[in-house]
Amino acid sequence: MGNLIVQKYGGSSVANPERIKNVAKRVVRYKKRGYNVVVVVSALGDTTDELIELASKVTDDPSEREMDMLISTGEQISCALLAMAIDKLKVPAISFTGAQVGIITDNSHTKARILNISAERIKEELKNGKVVVVAGFQGISVAKEITTLGRGGSDLTAVALAKALGAKICEIYTDVDGVYTADPRIVKDAKKLSRVSYDEMLELASLGAKVMQARSVEYGKRYDIPIHVRSSFSNVEGTIISKEVKSMERIDVSGLALQKDEAKVTICDVPDKPGIAAIIFKELAVNNIVIDMIVQNVSRTGTTDISFTVLKEDLAKTIKVAKKVAREVGAGEVIKDENIAKVSIVGIGMRSHSGIAARMFRALASKKINIEMISTSEIKISCVIEKRHAETALRTLHDEFGLKRVK
């Protein structure tokens, strides 16, 4: 199926009946141009958040299995409505859940990983001339339970289906028309990137750029599936995420990201003995808690403080686990700080340009912004700062590295 295209439409693209009809028109245009079209959809607008809020009114500690049962329904609604809208335009369409198209995952509820996709039913319906609409964000576990793929999981569904079906490109439609040097809602003169490498996008996505889910970019990189991020509200070209090309290395910093949904947890007075950190972080890993940055203070009195950051959605669980493990290893109290933000600079050109870190720290210091934690990789530098300085920090660094759009 050489003319196959996989398109994914985010929640804002299908937020109401009017927008669903617009998406249907776009899909039909592709179909009439001779493409076989597979469409992946997110839940309508803020449906997922509303369902999570609904659960919180019933219990403050819902089981993860039941949460998956609940929040997977959002995508089922939007895929059925879009199939109806396409049908109305005299093009046959059929909707499927993740389970129906054979998206098999592991047993981790709320953050499941895809193990396999059979996609036989999709191929069958494409041969029958239909547009296939798939509910994103979900699958069925090896234990035959409904699972979800984590925040932004519809992106992963789309890229994984593109791989399973042999599509040459995966189009991700959203409410922005591509990937920008920084969040254009905060930095007004941010510029759109025509192309970005998988590695840069991976860093930007994992550092808080909301355009793409990090795991979907990772999947695209592993199987070399170019991803085109574009707007569902216009026909302009977006940003292509692909293998890096030589011209990308000429730019030291390609983009910035800001993350405000993390919290810092500190375990005080941890005995400074070999193996203690391993015990602490093993316990957090067993509980499926993803740790971002870690800082351990220098020991002066035989004990040390260990600080690390986690997503706010995991904070309650993290505090519970941290207190338990602190008691076990003979550590002191556990402190949380929710008033932090993480600002990051990313660019594959950083590998061959020195002095980038010094410029970043100097620019933040010029605005009297204190750095609490630092983390680096070959192509990124991240700093944890007070949340109240977050947007100032982003704009300052955007200016420092000359990323403004040329008017």
Side-chain angles (χ1 to χ4, degrees), residues 52 63-65 67-69 71 104-115 137-141 145-154 156 213 215 261 284-292 309-318:
I52 291 168
S63 83
E64 290 185 332
R65 180 197 182 274
M67 282 306 290
D68 275 356
M69 284 291 282
I71 59 180
I104 310 297
T105 75
D106 63 14
N107 294 319
S108 307
H109 282 292
T110 73
K111 287 177 189 155
R113 301 194 82 82
I114 295 174
L115 301 177
F137 177 60
Q138 58 177 254
I140 188 164
S141 73
E145 297 280 9
I146 288 173
T147 50
T148 62
L149 308 173
R151 277 280 170 185
S154 296
L156 181 56
Q213 186 214 40
R215 277 165 61 199
D261 58 355
L284 291 162
V286 163
N287 283 275
N288 243 344
I289 296 164
V290 177
I291 306 297
D292 183 11
T309 59
V310 295
L311 287 172
K312 273 196 185 154
E313 64 192 54
D314 288 334
L315 182 60
K317 185 160 66 162
T318 304

Coordinates of all heavy atoms in Angstrom, one line a residue, residues 52 63-65 67-69 71 104-115 137-141 145-154 156 213 215 261 284-292 309-318:
I52 N -11.1 12.5 34.3 CA -10.2 12.3 35.5 C -10.8 13.1 36.7 O -10.8 12.6 37.8 CB -8.8 12.8 35.2 CG1 -8.1 11.9 34.2 CG2 -7.9 13.0 36.4 CD1 -6.8 12.5 33.6
S63 N -8.4 2.9 41.3 CA -7.5 1.9 40.8 C -7.1 2.3 39.4 O -7.9 2.8 38.6 CB -8.1 0.5 40.9 OG -8.9 0.3 39.7
E64 N -5.9 2.0 39.0 CA -5.4 2.3 37.7 C -6.1 1.5 36.6 O -6.4 2.0 35.5 CB -3.9 2.1 37.6 CG -3.1 3.1 38.4 CD -1.6 3.0 38.3 OE1 -1.1 1.9 38.0 OE2 -0.9 4.0 38.4
R65 N -6.6 0.3 36.9 CA -7.3 -0.5 35.9 C -8.6 0.3 35.6 O -9.0 0.4 34.4 CB -7.7 -1.9 36.5 CG -8.5 -2.7 35.5 CD -9.1 -3.9 36.1 NE -9.8 -4.7 35.1 CZ -11.1 -4.4 34.7 NH1 -11.8 -3.4 35.2 NH2 -11.6 -5.2 33.8
M67 N -9.3 3.4 36.0 CA -9.0 4.7 35.3 C -8.9 4.4 33.8 O -9.4 5.2 33.0 CB -7.8 5.3 35.9 CG -8.0 6.0 37.2 SD -9.3 7.3 37.2 CE -8.6 8.6 36.2
D68 N -8.2 3.3 33.5 CA -8.1 3.0 32.0 C -9.4 2.7 31.4 O -9.7 3.1 30.2 CB -7.1 1.8 31.8 CG -5.7 2.3 31.8 OD1 -5.4 3.5 31.8 OD2 -4.8 1.4 31.7
M69 N -10.3 2.0 32.1 CA -11.6 1.7 31.6 C -12.4 3.0 31.3 O -13.0 3.2 30.3 CB -12.4 0.9 32.6 CG -12.0 -0.6 32.7 SD -12.5 -1.5 31.2 CE -14.3 -1.7 31.5
I71 N -11.0 6.4 31.1 CA -10.5 7.5 30.2 C -10.3 7.0 28.8 O -10.3 7.8 27.8 CB -9.2 8.1 30.7 CG1 -8.1 7.1 30.9 CG2 -9.4 8.9 32.0 CD1 -6.8 7.7 31.4
I104 N -1.6 -4.6 21.0 CA -1.3 -5.4 22.2 C -0.3 -4.7 23.0 O 0.8 -4.3 22.5 CB -0.8 -6.8 21.8 CG1 -1.7 -7.5 20.8 CG2 -0.7 -7.7 23.1 CD1 -3.2 -7.7 21.2
T105 N -0.6 -4.5 24.3 CA 0.4 -3.8 25.2 C 0.8 -4.7 26.4 O 0.2 -5.8 26.6 CB -0.3 -2.5 25.8 OG1 -1.2 -2.9 26.8 CG2 -1.0 -1.7 24.7
D106 N 1.7 -4.2 27.2 CA 2.1 -4.9 28.4 C 1.0 -4.6 29.4 O -0.1 -4.0 29.1 CB 3.5 -4.4 28.9 CG 3.5 -3.0 29.3 OD1 2.5 -2.3 29.4 OD2 4.7 -2.5 29.5
N107 N 1.2 -5.0 30.7 CA 0.1 -4.9 31.7 C 0.1 -3.7 32.5 O -0.6 -3.6 33.5 CB 0.1 -6.2 32.6 CG -0.2 -7.4 31.8 OD1 -1.1 -7.5 31.0 ND2 0.5 -8.5 32.1
S108 N 1.0 -2.7 32.1 CA 1.1 -1.5 32.9 C -0.1 -0.5 32.7 O -0.1 0.1 31.6 CB 2.4 -0.7 32.6 OG 3.5 -1.6 32.7
H109 N -1.0 -0.4 33.6 CA -2.1 0.5 33.4 C -1.7 1.9 33.5 O -0.8 2.3 34.2 CB -3.2 0.2 34.5 CG -4.0 -1.0 34.2 ND1 -4.9 -1.1 33.1 CD2 -4.0 -2.2 34.7 CE1 -5.4 -2.3 33.1 NE2 -4.9 -3.0 34.0
T110 N -2.4 2.7 32.7 CA -2.2 4.2 32.5 C -0.9 4.6 31.8 O -0.8 5.7 31.3 CB -2.3 5.0 33.8 OG1 -1.1 4.8 34.6 CG2 -3.5 4.7 34.6
K111 N 0.1 3.7 31.7 CA 1.3 4.0 30.9 C 1.8 2.8 30.2 O 3.0 2.5 30.2 CB 2.4 4.5 31.9 CG 2.2 5.9 32.5 CD 3.3 6.2 33.5 CE 2.9 7.5 34.2 NZ 3.6 7.6 35.5
A112 N 0.9 2.1 29.5 CA 1.3 0.8 28.9 C 2.2 1.1 27.7 O 2.2 2.1 27.1 CB 0.0 0.1 28.4
R113 N 3.0 0.0 27.4 CA 3.9 0.1 26.3 C 3.4 -0.9 25.2 O 2.9 -2.0 25.5 CB 5.3 -0.4 26.7 CG 5.9 0.6 27.7 CD 7.4 0.4 27.9 NE 8.2 1.1 26.9 CZ 8.5 2.4 26.9 NH1 8.1 3.1 28.0 NH2 9.2 3.0 26.0
I114 N 3.4 -0.5 23.9 CA 3.0 -1.3 22.8 C 4.0 -2.5 22.6 O 5.2 -2.3 22.5 CB 2.8 -0.5 21.5 CG1 1.7 0.5 21.7 CG2 2.5 -1.4 20.4 CD1 1.5 1.5 20.6
L115 N 3.4 -3.7 22.6 CA 4.3 -4.9 22.3 C 4.2 -5.3 20.9 O 5.1 -5.8 20.3 CB 3.9 -6.1 23.2 CG 4.0 -5.8 24.8 CD1 3.5 -7.0 25.5 CD2 5.4 -5.5 25.2
F137 N -4.5 6.3 21.8 CA -4.2 6.3 23.3 C -4.5 5.0 24.0 O -4.4 4.9 25.2 CB -5.1 7.5 23.8 CG -5.1 7.7 25.3 CD1 -3.9 8.0 26.0 CD2 -6.2 7.7 26.1 CE1 -3.9 8.3 27.4 CE2 -6.3 7.9 27.4 CZ -5.1 8.2 28.1
Q138 N -4.9 4.0 23.3 CA -5.4 2.8 24.0 C -5.0 1.5 23.3 O -4.7 1.5 22.1 CB -6.9 2.8 24.1 CG -7.6 2.9 22.8 CD -9.1 2.9 22.9 OE1 -9.7 1.9 22.6 NE2 -9.7 4.0 23.3
G139 N -5.0 0.4 24.0 CA -4.8 -0.9 23.5 C -5.4 -1.9 24.4 O -6.2 -1.6 25.3
I140 N -5.0 -3.2 24.2 CA -5.5 -4.3 25.1 C -4.2 -5.0 25.5 O -3.3 -5.3 24.7 CB -6.5 -5.2 24.4 CG1 -7.1 -6.2 25.4 CG2 -5.9 -5.9 23.1 CD1 -8.4 -6.8 24.9
S141 N -4.2 -5.3 26.8 CA -3.0 -5.9 27.4 C -3.0 -7.4 27.1 O -4.0 -8.0 26.7 CB -2.9 -5.7 28.9 OG -3.9 -6.5 29.5
E145 N -6.9 -6.9 29.2 CA -7.5 -5.7 29.9 C -7.3 -4.5 29.0 O -6.3 -4.4 28.3 CB -6.7 -5.5 31.2 CG -6.8 -6.6 32.2 CD -8.1 -6.6 33.0 OE1 -9.0 -5.8 32.7 OE2 -8.2 -7.3 34.0
I146 N -8.2 -3.5 29.1 CA -8.0 -2.3 28.4 C -7.0 -1.5 29.0 O -6.9 -1.3 30.3 CB -9.4 -1.5 28.3 CG1 -10.4 -2.2 27.4 CG2 -9.1 0.0 27.9 CD1 -11.8 -1.6 27.4
T147 N -6.0 -1.0 28.2 CA -4.9 -0.2 28.8 C -4.8 1.2 28.0 O -5.3 1.3 26.9 CB -3.6 -0.9 28.6 OG1 -3.4 -1.3 27.2 CG2 -3.4 -2.1 29.5
T148 N -4.2 2.2 28.6 CA -3.9 3.4 27.9 C -2.4 3.7 27.9 O -1.7 3.1 28.7 CB -4.7 4.6 28.6 OG1 -4.2 4.8 29.9 CG2 -6.2 4.4 28.6
L149 N -2.0 4.5 27.0 CA -0.6 4.7 26.6 C 0.1 5.9 27.2 O 1.2 6.3 26.8 CB -0.4 4.7 25.1 CG -1.0 3.6 24.3 CD1 -0.9 3.8 22.8 CD2 -0.4 2.2 24.7
G150 N -0.6 6.5 28.2 CA 0.0 7.7 28.8 C -0.4 9.0 28.1 O -0.8 8.9 27.0
R151 N -0.2 10.1 28.7 CA -0.5 11.4 28.2 C 0.1 11.6 26.7 O 1.2 11.3 26.5 CB 0.1 12.5 29.0 CG -0.8 12.9 30.2 CD -1.9 13.8 29.8 NE -2.9 14.0 30.8 CZ -4.0 14.6 30.7 NH1 -4.3 15.2 29.5 NH2 -4.8 14.8 31.7
G152 N -0.7 12.0 25.8 CA -0.3 12.2 24.4 C -0.1 10.9 23.7 O 0.5 10.8 22.6
G153 N -0.7 9.8 24.3 CA -0.6 8.5 23.7 C -1.1 8.3 22.3 O -0.8 7.3 21.6
S154 N -2.0 9.2 21.8 CA -2.6 9.0 20.5 C -1.5 9.2 19.4 O -1.5 8.7 18.4 CB -3.7 10.0 20.2 OG -4.8 9.8 21.1
L156 N 1.6 8.2 19.8 CA 2.2 6.9 19.7 C 1.4 5.9 18.9 O 2.0 5.1 18.1 CB 2.4 6.4 21.2 CG 3.1 5.0 21.3 CD1 4.5 5.0 20.6 CD2 3.3 4.6 22.8
Q213 N 4.3 13.6 21.9 CA 4.7 12.8 23.1 C 6.1 12.2 22.8 O 6.4 11.7 21.7 CB 3.6 11.7 23.2 CG 3.8 10.8 24.4 CD 3.4 9.4 24.2 OE1 3.7 8.8 23.1 NE2 2.8 8.7 25.2
R215 N 7.5 9.4 23.7 CA 7.6 8.0 23.3 C 7.3 7.8 21.8 O 7.8 6.9 21.1 CB 6.7 7.2 24.1 CG 7.3 6.8 25.5 CD 6.3 6.3 26.5 NE 5.6 5.1 26.0 CZ 4.4 4.6 26.4 NH1 3.8 5.3 27.4 NH2 3.9 3.5 26.0
D261 N 5.0 21.2 35.1 CA 4.2 20.2 35.8 C 5.1 19.2 36.5 O 4.8 18.0 36.6 CB 3.3 19.5 34.8 CG 4.0 18.9 33.6 OD1 5.2 19.1 33.5 OD2 3.4 18.2 32.8
L284 N 11.3 3.3 44.0 CA 10.5 4.2 43.1 C 10.2 3.6 41.8 O 9.1 3.7 41.2 CB 11.2 5.6 43.0 CG 11.3 6.4 44.3 CD1 12.4 7.4 44.1 CD2 10.0 7.1 44.6
A285 N 11.2 2.9 41.2 CA 11.0 2.3 39.9 C 10.0 1.2 39.9 O 9.2 1.0 39.0 CB 12.4 1.7 39.4
V286 N 10.0 0.4 41.0 CA 9.1 -0.7 41.1 C 7.6 -0.2 41.1 O 6.7 -0.8 40.7 CB 9.3 -1.5 42.5 CG1 8.2 -2.4 42.9 CG2 10.6 -2.3 42.3
N287 N 7.5 1.0 41.6 CA 6.1 1.7 41.7 C 5.8 2.5 40.4 O 4.9 3.3 40.4 CB 6.0 2.5 42.9 CG 5.8 1.7 44.2 OD1 4.7 1.4 44.5 ND2 6.9 1.4 44.9
N288 N 6.6 2.3 39.4 CA 6.4 2.9 38.1 C 6.5 4.4 38.1 O 5.8 5.1 37.3 CB 5.0 2.5 37.6 CG 5.0 1.7 36.3 OD1 6.1 1.7 35.6 ND2 4.0 1.1 35.9
I289 N 7.3 4.9 39.0 CA 7.5 6.4 39.1 C 8.7 6.8 38.3 O 9.8 6.3 38.5 CB 7.7 6.8 40.6 CG1 6.4 6.5 41.3 CG2 8.0 8.3 40.6 CD1 6.6 6.6 42.8
V290 N 8.5 7.7 37.3 CA 9.6 8.1 36.4 C 10.3 9.3 37.1 O 9.7 10.3 37.4 CB 9.1 8.5 35.0 CG1 10.2 9.0 34.1 CG2 8.4 7.3 34.4
I291 N 11.6 9.1 37.3 CA 12.4 10.2 37.9 C 13.1 11.0 36.8 O 13.6 10.4 35.8 CB 13.5 9.6 38.8 CG1 12.9 8.6 39.8 CG2 14.4 10.7 39.5 CD1 12.0 9.3 40.8
D292 N 13.1 12.3 37.0 CA 13.8 13.1 36.0 C 15.2 13.5 36.4 O 16.1 12.8 36.2 CB 12.9 14.4 35.7 CG 13.5 15.2 34.6 OD1 14.4 14.8 33.9 OD2 13.0 16.4 34.4
T309 N 13.3 15.1 40.8 CA 12.1 15.7 40.3 C 11.2 14.6 39.7 O 11.7 13.7 39.1 CB 12.3 16.8 39.3 OG1 13.1 16.3 38.2 CG2 13.1 18.0 39.9
V310 N 9.9 14.8 39.8 CA 8.9 13.8 39.2 C 7.8 14.7 38.7 O 7.6 15.8 39.0 CB 8.3 12.9 40.3 CG1 9.4 11.9 40.8 CG2 7.6 13.6 41.4
L311 N 7.0 14.0 37.8 CA 5.8 14.7 37.3 C 4.8 14.9 38.5 O 4.7 14.1 39.3 CB 5.1 13.9 36.2 CG 5.9 13.9 34.9 CD1 5.2 12.9 33.9 CD2 5.8 15.3 34.2
K312 N 4.1 16.0 38.5 CA 3.1 16.3 39.5 C 2.1 15.3 39.7 O 1.6 15.0 40.8 CB 2.5 17.7 39.3 CG 3.3 18.8 39.9 CD 2.5 20.1 40.0 CE 3.4 21.2 40.4 NZ 2.9 22.5 40.0
E313 N 1.7 14.6 38.6 CA 0.7 13.6 38.6 C 1.1 12.4 39.4 O 0.3 11.6 39.9 CB 0.2 13.2 37.2 CG 1.3 12.5 36.4 CD 0.9 12.4 34.9 OE1 0.5 13.3 34.3 OE2 1.0 11.2 34.5
D314 N 2.5 12.2 39.6 CA 3.0 11.1 40.3 C 3.4 11.6 41.8 O 4.0 10.7 42.5 CB 4.3 10.5 39.6 CG 3.9 9.8 38.4 OD1 2.8 9.3 38.3 OD2 4.7 9.7 37.5
L315 N 3.2 12.8 42.1 CA 3.7 13.3 43.4 C 3.2 12.6 44.6 O 3.9 12.2 45.5 CB 3.5 14.9 43.5 CG 4.1 15.5 44.7 CD1 5.6 15.4 44.8 CD2 3.7 17.0 44.8
A316 N 1.8 12.5 44.7 CA 1.2 11.8 45.9 C 1.8 10.4 46.1 O 2.2 10.0 47.2 CB -0.3 11.8 45.7
K317 N 1.9 9.7 45.0 CA 2.4 8.3 45.0 C 3.9 8.3 45.4 O 4.4 7.5 46.3 CB 2.2 7.6 43.7 CG 2.6 6.1 43.7 CD 2.0 5.3 42.6 CE 2.5 5.7 41.2 NZ 2.3 4.6 40.2
T318 N 4.6 9.3 44.9 CA 6.1 9.4 45.2 C 6.3 9.7 46.6 O 7.2 9.1 47.3 CB 6.7 10.6 44.3 OG1 6.4 10.3 43.0 CG2 8.2 10.7 44.5

